[in-house]
Amino acid sequence: MTMGADRTDDLRARVAAAAENGAPLAIRGGGTKDFFGGPITGEPLEMSGHRGILAYRPTELVLTARAGTPLAEIEAVLARSGQYLPFEPPRFASAGSASDSTNKGACAPGGTLGGAVASGLSGPRRPYAGAVRDYLLGVTVLTGRAEILRFGGEVVKNVAGYDLFRPMAGAMGSLGVLLDVSLKVLPVPPARRSFAFALDGGAAILAANRIAGRPLPVTGAVHDGGRLILRLEGSAAALDKALPLLEEMAGPAMPMDDDGAFWTAIRDHTHPFFAGDAPLWRLSVAPAAAPLPWHGPQMVDWGGAQRWLRGEADVGEMRRMAMAAGGHATLFRGPDRARAFQPPAPAVAALNGRLRAAFDPAGIFNRGRLGEV
Amino acid sequence: MAGDLRALVRALRRALPEESVLSGKDDLKPYECDGLAAYRALPGAVCLPRTRDEVAAVLRLCHQADIPVVARGAGTGLSGGALPLAGGVLLSLARLNRILEIDPLNRVARVEPGVRNLAVSEAAARHGLFYAPDPSSQVACTIGGNVAENSGGVHCLKYGLTVHNLLGLTVLDAAGEVMEIGTGALDSPGLDLLALMTGSEGLLGVVVEARLRLLPRPDRVRVLLAAFASVEAAGDAVGRIIAAGIVPAGLELMDSLAIQAAEAFVHAGYPLDAAAILLCELDGAPAEIAETEERVGAVLHAAGATHIHSAEEPAERARLWAGRKAAFPAVGRLSPDYYCMDGTIPRFRLPEVLAEIARLSERYGLAVANVFHAGDGNLHPLILYDAGRPGDLERAEAFGRDILALCVAVGGVITGEHGVGVEKLDSMCAQFGPSELAQFHAVKAACDPSGLLNPGKAVPTLHRCAEFGAMHVHAGTLPFPELERF
Ligand SMILES: Cc1cc2nc3c(=O)[nH]c(=O)nc-3n(C[C@H](O)[C@H](O)[C@H](O)COP(=O)(O)OP(=O)(O)OC[C@H]3O[C@@H](n4cnc5c(N)ncnc54)[C@H](O)[C@@H]3O)c2cc1C
């Protein structure tokens, strides 16, 4: 449908050779998430040349594209039909272009579709609209046996066989090379408005969770230290009606600019909170968990379910703090990459290992990137 | 089967209270089938544990004895997933039926697997919350069964399937070892095992607890009933509604046979002269509903609706839905037996697929009623037959397989929500190639190395598919060559 290139044969040959030699491969899309997860080992397997939208029928609300297609291209094509990816995949700044110089032009800032799916990261709309995995309908994946398998499809209801497509989201490439991906998409809500409420952290978390328990069109809830900032999306009439109810629960509302810039900055980590070199921790916790005992800078997203903390800390302590709040801790950006992800409980970790071996017996894909599982 | 069943039953009787282990023929009889009654088998024993520890004990003993275990919830499954294995143990989770906690602020319900689907929403109602997946069988089916089948319902168009409304599971493996999947947060480290377990039909683990996401009840709900002069026109209207950027809470289609049956059964007030009706539910804030209703009304008129009725009163809405929710048993009254199919297709293929099903119905000489989740493209053709008439069941099954092959041919899948079970093993061969099937088996081996959990279901052996292929694919001809492929 759009300018594309099919590199399946090259990729398959590379994987077959690597599998034979047991040589690790580092799957790489736009390289915008090179910083994320465990340390990168192995020869880069560049995906950005494998690109192009394969099928998009706006009336079906389904899009299929090769994994190396830039997210920006996909979102632009969707926008022309008034549609979008509701899970708001972050578009991080490029850390430098891909090593293959012919790909320079292709290495669009903001990353690729494959990287967005493999990293499993979702933006502020996640608690209200779902995560990447909730929009994933199917994948074609190149396994460690150099086999090309198709799981899922282009329909929203599908229970034929085990679900081997949703687990690709967040697997950090550890199960195989995503070749193409089918996603459910949705119409862009007709209206958007954002408001700020002067609340401290504890009050903001409580208010955000009470609000989430009411049928209100909230699609974003961030606490930036002094303010709870809510985003409403839906029909203009519904947004007008919602405001007095929000004020009842969160106090007087201050309207914000509605160009969406604030939410993009939260999504892409271009908000000043994310600037600088101090380690960035992501604590995924129960949404209503009390404010965390942290004295450094903190940003609360996902209506309380995602807490960003800045500063040096002991990884064990961070994990304990997250577990006490019902969740787990990730060192999102920081030096101790080998311990980026919190390991699951031993039985779960062992199953993770067996599943990875079932897809990639020689263990060639993104070794160590998903951490100690 | 390697194990010694009689010794196992003795050991089970020592581990569980007396009345929790059944082995007499008459006691086993009620468990010989699930909702797909064409398949029956008597298990070697039935266990009815009351606690997680008792479930673990059953699994441990079966594991030691090398005897297979089939988990069962309410037995409403429609693909034979809970069909017992002769000589195996049937493990009923129905007595683990406690709602352990409703946490209104975090919007989570923590429940045992035997809790009935509807009971969750009933318990959450006083907090203004509900559990969204609502299979038509919701008064009876269990959360454990819903997880194992990744069940949907009339509202999953807007609110998603079971997999989208799960936050965590406690799962036991075949040896009775416990695994916590998911956390109290929205995600967890490592691979997404929550997705993998959901829809795995009891082959990858036994669910002993589920953490379910609760949603706020919508302020206002409205149900539109639109009548059409042809099924194709109704199918076309479905695509047009979605194309207009509207995502209703539910969008269901019933054809005239289903309408007649439902009307005679529950007097829902459906127009008996319509060739098809659409039920379209809108929910949200009052102002939003008014706006959307106007837009949907315009689309329905443009698509040729002959009559549109709008219901807002709860009693009237309930009546309109009652016809839909009772449609399967209602159709069941028309004929000694019916066979419910469950393929999903891309929505834009609806009109032609419905027309092709009508042609097949004529060719097989068996009537079909269509009542289904149209907004999701999830078909439920109900094939009417009479098991007492020689050859009827075989014809119904062949007809069913053709419908599923048709779904695959238009880019769809062989099961949207009822699962593969024993019923669609052959159709799995049409859906997947040998490499995908081998990958499924590898995943099964990773999760259940003993192979004792519900063996033989959900994924056909490569051997079976080779035989099926040899029988059904005629040199180089695809099924339904007249249909355009994508
Ligand atoms: C009239 C009627 C209408 C229906 N409508 C719908 C509908 O709208 N949508 C829909 O999706 N389905 C529908 N169904 C199908 C069925 O109700 C669902 O599949 C339901 O989820 C099955 O639940 P159950 O408790 O009856 O499970 P069972 O039939 O007992 O078991 C189903 C499967 O789950 C496994 N299982 C059960 N409990 C556990 C557990 N604790 N751990 C692991 N595995 C387990 C079993 O081994 C089996 O494979 C309908 C069925 C009927 C009869």
Side-chain angles (χ1 to χ4, degrees):
Chain A
M1 276 192 57
T2 52
M3 286 271 291
D6 181 357
R7 295 280 175 81
T8 306
D9 292 341
D10 300 350
L11 293 167
R12 188 177 196 169
R14 290 275 313 273
V15 168
E20 205 172 292
N21 308 324
L25 291 173
I27 309 165
R28 190 165 190 264
T32 60
K33 299 180 192 79
D34 280 352
F35 67 88
F36 183 56
I40 294 172
T41 48
E43 280 292 301
L45 186 71
E46 298 290 352
M47 295 301 297
S48 52
H50 184 68
R51 60 188 283 184
I53 294 175
L54 298 172
Y56 173 44
R57 193 179 279 267
T59 56
E60 285 296 300
L61 305 178
V62 175
L63 175 139
T64 299
R66 293 198 184 96
T69 314
L71 262 185
E73 178 181 331
I74 287 171
E75 294 192 303
V77 167
L78 290 173
R80 284 204 286 279
S81 296
Q83 297 184 346
Y84 76 143
L85 302 174
F87 55 89
E88 287 183 288
R91 291 202 219 156
F92 295 133
S94 190
S97 52
S99 58
D100 174 359
S101 64
T102 59
N103 276 338
K104 271 205 173 123
C107 184
T112 62
L113 174 63
V117 171
S119 65
L121 300 174
S122 305
R125 210 181 276 104
R126 193 268 174 253
Y128 310 98
V132 197
R133 55 92 90 168
D134 296 312
Y135 289 85
L136 199 55
L137 298 179
V139 298
T140 305
V141 61
L142 175 55
T143 69
R145 292 187 194 81
E147 283 184 319
I148 293 173
L149 308 182
R150 175 91 189 147
F151 295 111
E154 294 189 302
V155 294
V156 288
K157 284 171 86 173
N158 179 3
V159 292
Y162 304 125
D163 181 349
L164 300 188
F165 56 97
R166 288 189 187 92
M168 296 295 162
M172 296 298 293
S174 66
L175 298 177
V177 182
L178 294 174
L179 291 177
D180 61 62
V181 168
S182 299
L183 290 172
K184 173 179 158 165
V185 302
L186 284 179
V188 177
R192 175 181 61 214
R193 235 160 269 172
S194 300
F195 299 96
F197 302 82
L199 292 174
D200 69 20
I205 290 167
L206 192 61
N209 281 284
R210 284 203 181 127
I211 288 167
R214 302 281 300 274
L216 293 165
V218 173
T219 65
V222 162
H223 187 258
D224 68 356
R227 305 174 302 167
L228 171 66
I229 298 152
L230 296 180
R231 176 175 60 188
L232 311 187
E233 291 173 308
S235 79
L239 303 196
D240 289 340
K241 287 278 189 305
L243 188 57
L245 292 169
L246 293 175
E247 292 197 302
E248 231 170 74
M249 288 185 277
M254 295 161 281
M256 309 229 313
D257 272 351
D258 269 310
D259 54 5
F262 174 79
W263 299 101
T264 308
I266 297 292
R267 182 193 75 183
D268 297 347
H269 289 189
T270 52
H271 185 282
F273 171 85
F274 296 98
D277 292 330
L280 172 65
W281 300 86
R282 170 183 184 268
L283 275 67
S284 177
V285 300
L292 299 174
W294 179 253
H295 300 296
Q298 181 173 177
M299 172 87 82
V300 176
D301 192 3
W302 289 8
Q306 181 169 255
R307 318 257 172 118
W308 297 102
L309 314 181
R310 299 299 304 266
E312 303 285 343
D314 174 68
V315 69
E317 247 163 62
M318 292 307 249
R319 289 174 181 175
R320 279 190 294 278
M321 194 201 298
M323 283 167 78
H328 60 102
T330 305
L331 177 54
F332 201 82
R333 284 182 196 260
D336 189 8
R337 292 191 60 165
R339 299 209 286 168
F341 294 116
Q342 181 162 340
V348 174
L351 179 53
N352 269 271
R354 294 198 300 276
L355 285 167
R356 289 178 59 177
F359 281 89
D360 176 17
I364 54 172
F365 295 130
N366 287 3
R367 227 175 247 179
R369 193 80 190 271
L370 192 59
E372 308 153 32
V373 300
Chain B
M1 207 161 300
D4 175 351
L5 183 69
R6 266 193 294 176
L8 172 64
V9 169
R10 281 196 299 275
L12 288 168
R13 286 229 158 84
R14 282 194 296 274
L16 265 54
E18 178 69 25
E19 35 81 45
S20 298
V21 182
L22 312 177
S23 61
K25 234 194 178 129
D26 290 347
D27 295 336
L28 299 178
K29 193 90 176 140
Y31 297 92
E32 68 176 351
C33 67
D34 62 6
L36 182 69
Y39 293 80
R40 289 165 200 266
L42 271 194
V46 172
C47 291
L48 298 152
R50 288 183 188 279
T51 66
R52 178 191 299 193
D53 288 344
E54 288 181 3
V55 177
V58 172
L59 288 167
R60 213 160 32 236
L61 290 170
C62 292
H63 192 251
Q64 281 160 13
D66 200 22
I67 285 191
V69 179
V70 177
R72 177 184 168 108
T76 67
L78 291 173
S79 55
L83 177 75
L85 293 171
V89 165
L90 188 88
L91 172 59
S92 166
L93 284 307
R95 286 182 176 174
L96 279 83
N97 61 358
R98 279 158 298 202
I99 294 178
L100 300 170
E101 184 187 359
I102 302 269
D103 174 349
L105 200 54
N106 282 301
R107 288 149 280 129
V108 183
R110 200 158 63 79
V111 306
E112 291 187 328
V115 168
R116 290 173 308 110
N117 173 292
L118 188 60
V120 180
S121 286
E122 285 171 352
R126 67 192 174 91
H127 304 291
L129 301 170
F130 76 115
Y131 176 60
D134 57 343
S136 303
S137 50
Q138 70 183 148
V139 290
C141 66
T142 67
I143 293 298
N146 293 172
V147 171
E149 301 290 6
N150 190 17
S151 295
V154 297
H155 290 104
C156 63
L157 179 57
K158 179 164 176 181
Y159 296 109
L161 307 158
T162 301
V163 69
H164 303 115
N165 292 280
L166 262 188
L167 292 163
L169 292 174
T170 306
V171 172
L172 302 184
D173 68 12
E177 295 297 324
V178 66
M179 227 176 349
E180 289 296 338
I181 293 176
T183 61
L186 295 179
D187 46 36
S188 50
L191 298 171
D192 188 349
L193 301 183
L194 206 51
L196 177 64
M197 285 294 159
T198 310
S200 64
E201 302 192 22
L203 275 82
L204 303 185
V206 174
V207 175
V208 291
E209 184 182 306
R211 270 88 65 196
L212 311 173
R213 185 171 79 120
L214 301 175
L215 296 178
R217 281 192 174 281
D219 267 339
R220 195 66 66 83
V221 179
R222 186 162 296 197
V223 179
L224 301 183
L225 181 155
F228 290 86
S230 77
V231 180
E232 288 79 4
D236 178 48
V238 170
R240 291 196 197 201
I241 290 173
I242 306 288
I246 300 163
V247 181
L251 186 55
E252 302 282 307
L253 191 153
M254 295 170 75
D255 72 5
S256 98
L257 196 51
I259 297 168
Q260 312 284 339
E263 197 50 31
F265 192 35
V266 300
H267 312 293
Y270 296 160
L272 288 168
D273 54 346
I277 59 169
L278 282 183
L279 288 171
C280 176
E281 182 164 300
L282 305 174
D283 68 10
E288 186 175 19
I289 293 204
E291 201 179 291
T292 317
E293 181 173 358
E294 211 164 290
R295 289 171 62 209
V296 173
V299 173
L300 290 169
H301 274 299
T306 54
H307 163 85
I308 299 176
H309 173 74
S310 164
E312 191 180 335
E313 285 310 307
E316 195 188 359
R317 283 192 281 116
R319 194 157 50 83
L320 289 181
W321 278 124
R324 165 63 186 92
K325 293 210 169 177
F328 292 6
V331 169
R333 302 192 329 153
L334 297 183
S335 155
D337 299 282
Y338 72 93
Y339 184 37
C340 174
M341 307 310 298
D342 172 46
T344 308
I345 58 167
R347 265 180 307 260
F348 75 103
R349 311 299 294 259
L350 266 176
E352 60 182 310
V353 167
L354 292 173
E356 181 65 30
I357 290 175
R359 272 194 293 278
L360 287 170
S361 162
E362 247 167 67
R363 193 190 313 154
Y364 280 97
L366 294 173
V368 162
N370 283 293
V371 40
F372 62 96
H373 312 300
D376 295 313
N378 184 194
L379 305 173
H380 287 327
L382 303 172
I383 301 171
L384 307 191
Y385 71 101
D386 179 356
R389 215 160 47 206
D392 242 30
L393 172 62
E394 290 71 23
R395 263 191 307 150
E397 288 189 321
F399 183 2
R401 272 195 303 273
D402 277 358
I403 291 176
L404 298 186
L406 171 63
C407 292
V408 174
V410 300
V413 300
I414 59 162
T415 172
E417 57 181 14
H418 294 168
V420 173
V422 288
E423 178 209 12
K424 296 181 207 75
L425 284 169
D426 286 336
S427 296
M428 280 289 280
C429 311
Q431 183 90 65
F432 293 105
S435 317
E436 279 90 5
L437 294 173
Q439 188 65 57
F440 288 140
H441 288 299
V443 165
K444 163 79 171 166
C447 295
D448 176 23
S450 68
L452 290 175
L453 296 177
N454 215 2
K457 311 275 182 73
V459 183
T461 60
L462 295 175
H463 178 73
R464 180 178 181 133
C465 284
E467 284 192 345
F468 178 76
M471 248 161 47
H472 291 262
V473 179
H474 310 289
T477 58
L478 286 162
F480 309 101
E482 70 279 13
L483 293 174
E484 192 185 349
R485 284 177 164 72
F486 289 86

